[in-house]
Amino acid sequence: MASRRAVCAALPVLRAGAQRTARPFFLSSAAKVPCLAIRPVVPHRLISSTSRLCKDVPSEPIEGNTAENEAGKEKPETKESRVWSFDEVKKQVESNASEQGQGKVVIVDVREPAELQETGRIPGAINIPITSAVQSFHISGEDFEEMYGFERPSTSTPLLFYCKAGVRARGAAALAQHAGWSEVGEYTGSWLEWAERGGPVEKN
């Protein structure tokens, strides 16, 4: 139940990040009434499974679970995720690419697949679209591999998250920490800064 609450608590942050990528359009040239359109780019089963995951979950935050507090259960301590700068990320990308690179960090792009197709990604990054598949860090390793086609990094692997502007990356880092990853970081400048400063780009 605690995992389900953590996932659902992070949904507003992740959805807010997704809405930043929406583009305005107008119903008619006369009315000029702006609307936002967000087109799903992932299979419906991912969205529906997330909806089922959050169904009937109490709205109160995890820290407000008085039943657990009264039972004397200690809440797990989570430290702040590390904040990475552009130069640090660029250096890590070079280190990851080196055959003798030590201290490898898995870079995770949490944007939607359509965004990556349009812009490319930071070299070597894997894609876990956290908005449409918010349950990705709380499902089993087998389910994860079936969903994405590659093995999920172990909980002992350092993770570095980025998105378009840093909002979804922050939510993803919190979800990963709650699911058991201890070495978690976020690139707050994310793709907007990476592209603006001329960081290397990998395209499929």
Side-chain angles (χ1 to χ4, degrees):
M1 177 65 74
S3 296
R4 293 172 61 196
R5 286 177 177 163
V7 170
C8 297
L11 277 173
V13 176
L14 300 172
R15 286 171 178 160
Q19 289 170 358
R20 294 170 68 104
T21 66
R23 298 181 179 178
F25 69 92
F26 298 94
L27 294 178
S28 68
S29 57
K32 294 296 183 182
V33 179
C35 298
L36 288 178
I38 303 178
R39 184 177 63 182
V41 293
V42 295
H44 181 268
R45 65 185 180 90
L46 299 185
I47 298 175
S48 59
S49 62
T50 303
S51 300
R52 292 195 301 271
L53 181 70
C54 297
K55 184 178 180 181
D56 299 330
V57 175
S59 58
E60 69 269 13
I62 295 173
E63 53 268 27
N65 190 335
T66 56
E68 288 187 1
N69 293 338
E70 291 174 357
K73 295 181 179 180
E74 295 183 0
K75 293 179 291 185
E77 295 183 2
T78 56
K79 60 181 181 181
E80 291 289 331
S81 58
R82 174 185 171 185
V83 175
W84 290 64
S85 68
F86 172 85
D87 292 331
E88 289 174 326
V89 176
K90 187 176 181 181
K91 184 177 180 180
Q92 187 62 54
V93 168
E94 296 170 352
S95 176
N96 286 353
S98 173
E99 294 182 358
Q100 298 179 348
Q102 296 181 349
K104 184 173 183 178
V105 174
V106 174
I107 302 174
V108 185
D109 189 323
V110 299
R111 296 177 296 163
E112 297 302 310
E115 296 178 76
L116 275 70
Q117 293 173 8
E118 181 179 349
T119 65
R121 71 182 78 192
I122 293 177
I126 62 175
N127 180 219
I128 303 177
I130 203 67
T131 302
S132 55
V134 68
Q135 74 276 32
S136 296
F137 290 98
H138 288 83
I139 59 178
S140 68
E142 292 78 8
D143 288 343
F144 180 95
E145 188 168 354
E146 180 181 354
M147 182 181 296
Y148 291 105
F150 58 86
E151 185 178 353
R152 184 172 59 192
S154 67
T155 54
S156 61
T157 302
L159 302 179
L160 168 57
F161 295 96
Y162 78 94
C163 55
K164 179 180 179 180
V167 177
R168 285 171 286 178
R170 186 182 310 119
L175 285 172
Q177 283 184 318
H178 184 273
W181 277 261
S182 57
E183 295 187 61
V184 173
E186 55 186 281
Y187 174 27
T188 55
S190 282
W191 185 260
L192 290 180
E193 182 184 48
W194 188 260
E196 181 182 358
R197 298 189 59 177
V201 177
E202 175 183 318
K203 291 193 176 183
N204 295 335

